[in-house]
Amino acid sequence: MLFAKGFYFYYFCSNGNMMKKIALITGATSGIGRATARILAAHAHDVIITGRRAALLEETGQLIREKTGADVLPLSFDVRDIEQVQAHLGNLRGKWEKVDVLVNNAGLASGLSHIQDGDIEDWEKMIDTNIKGLLYVTRVISPGMVARGSGHIVNIGSIAGKEVYESGNVYCATKHAVDALNKGMRTDLAEHHIRVTAINPGAVETEFSVVRFHGDRQKADKVYEGFTPLYEQDIAEAILFAVTRPPHVNINDMLIMPTAQASTSKTVKKL
Ligand code: NDP
Ligand code: 8X3
């Protein structure tokens, strides 16, 4: 009977148009966020996508519509600015108002240097985006989930939230904060039947390193030289898995590494 119930729910939640959900994915102009928006749109979700690069966001939205037939609402704003977050996400109307799945993905590393040489602007950018931005979006979206007694928040952490590596100091601290917030959110929201999941990737080849090295593509390419990293689709598939479990199942935490990366300090040669 239990199996039958689980199967019934899985079937209706993961298959086709039976129960379309609304997913909000922050940072969907590239990398993990863009792949996640695409895969959720292809699996019974209409999607709200966000990012600062407005033209790229519109283009991404159009592509997702064409490829999946899903409805897409692109909203361009900076997650570091609480007024922009409230203006865009605090005034959702119609079906968009009921966000079922929030993927807190927008984030970045800026710089890589020993603590004594750290650039204050880089530090503020990472803290404001990875911690405060994630909190602002969650603060605006979670009351609706509480009122409805359902919802799923997926926080994109990192191996950098589990380990600390040389020169990664502040980025690692922000992802350790995401790890703590993930647990805190789950604790506070459990009584409202809201699921909270952390997805923690190792090295994924996206725009991440280009951003970390302030646009220096040569330096960025070197990060992925000599081993096979993860690709954005690998993480998107894990997110899809987490959000399509039956409602009595919560994936608390996934740590997903390239096979060639045993830890932040040990990467082996190309498979
Ligand atoms: P990308 O640089 O490819 O994507 C980052 C996304 O975040 C972009 O869409 C960017 O959009 C958005 N973003 C950044 N800052 C802001 C902001 N202030 N306001 C709104 N949107 C913002 O990197 P990834 O896809 O790799 O990164 C996604 C997440 O995954 C991040 O949280 C990152 O820390 C995490 N991660 C990445 C790993 C990797 O190796 N790549 C490994 C582990 C975790 P726009 O520039 O248009 O604003
Ligand atoms: C990104 C992975 O190892 O560069 O979060 O910090 S790492």
Side-chain angles (χ1 to χ4, degrees), residues 121-179:
E121 220 176 281
D122 278 341
W123 290 359
E124 285 177 348
K125 216 184 281 177
M126 290 187 276
I127 292 167
D128 288 352
T129 310
N130 300 356
I131 306 176
K132 291 166 71 180
L134 176 145
L135 282 171
Y136 294 162
V137 173
T138 304
R139 182 64 184 85
V140 172
I141 295 299
S142 59
M145 291 180 168
V146 168
R148 291 188 296 278
S150 73
H152 196 155
I153 299 176
V154 179
N155 294 309
I156 308 303
S158 169
I159 180 66
K162 307 284 185 185
E163 296 176 20
V164 175
Y165 54 87
E166 187 173 355
S167 297
N169 41 64
V170 175
Y171 177 68
C172 294
T174 66
K175 289 300 182 178
H176 275 68
V178 172
D179 193 44

Side-chain angles (χ1 to χ4, degrees), residues 109 157-161 165 171-172 175 201-204 208-209 212 223-224 261 264:
S158 169
I159 180 66
Y165 54 87
Y171 177 68
C172 294
K175 289 300 182 178
V204 190
F208 178 83
S209 292
R212 164 167 261 172
V223 173
Y224 310 105
Q261 189 188 24
T264 54

Side-chain angles (χ1 to χ4, degrees), residues 202-248:
V204 190
E205 191 167 5
T206 61
E207 290 182 11
F208 178 83
S209 292
V210 179
V211 172
R212 164 167 261 172
F213 295 119
H214 306 120
D216 185 334
R217 279 195 182 268
Q218 270 186 337
K219 245 182 172 174
D221 287 346
K222 280 205 169 26
V223 173
Y224 310 105
E225 251 174 38
F227 77 106
T228 307
L230 295 168
Y231 301 108
E232 57 207 38
Q233 182 71 11
D234 299 318
I235 305 305
E237 284 171 5
I239 295 168
L240 175 67
F241 176 80
V243 304
T244 51
R245 293 312 84 210
H248 68 287

Side-chain angles (χ1 to χ4, degrees), residues 19-161:
M19 284 176 68
K20 267 216 157 183
K21 290 188 170 186
I22 303 292
L24 161 58
I25 303 104
T26 66
T29 51
S30 75
I32 295 168
R34 183 176 55 194
T36 302
R38 211 161 37 204
I39 206 168
L40 293 184
H43 290 82
H45 293 77
D46 290 323
V47 293
I48 304 171
I49 57 173
T50 85
R52 290 163 301 176
R53 289 169 288 178
L56 190 52
L57 189 69
E58 287 297 333
E59 206 178 288
T60 304
Q62 193 49 35
L63 249 160
I64 294 175
R65 278 184 207 105
E66 282 165 19
K67 294 270 178 221
T68 68
D71 279 351
V72 183
L73 177 63
L75 298 174
S76 185
F77 63 91
D78 190 326
V79 296
R80 292 173 294 179
D81 182 335
I82 183 62
E83 282 173 14
Q84 287 189 37
V85 173
Q86 277 165 340
H88 286 91
L89 299 180
N91 288 308
L92 295 169
R93 291 287 170 260
K95 72 172 178 185
W96 301 113
E97 205 179 342
K98 192 180 76 59
V99 173
D100 298 293
V101 177
L102 163 61
V103 183
N104 275 319
N105 165 76
L108 80 173
S110 195
L112 186 70
S113 55
H114 282 179
I115 199 79
Q116 69 276 16
D117 303 320
D119 181 296
I120 301 288
E121 220 176 281
D122 278 341
W123 290 359
E124 285 177 348
K125 216 184 281 177
M126 290 187 276
I127 292 167
D128 288 352
T129 310
N130 300 356
I131 306 176
K132 291 166 71 180
L134 176 145
L135 282 171
Y136 294 162
V137 173
T138 304
R139 182 64 184 85
V140 172
I141 295 299
S142 59
M145 291 180 168
V146 168
R148 291 188 296 278
S150 73
H152 196 155
I153 299 176
V154 179
N155 294 309
I156 308 303
S158 169
I159 180 66

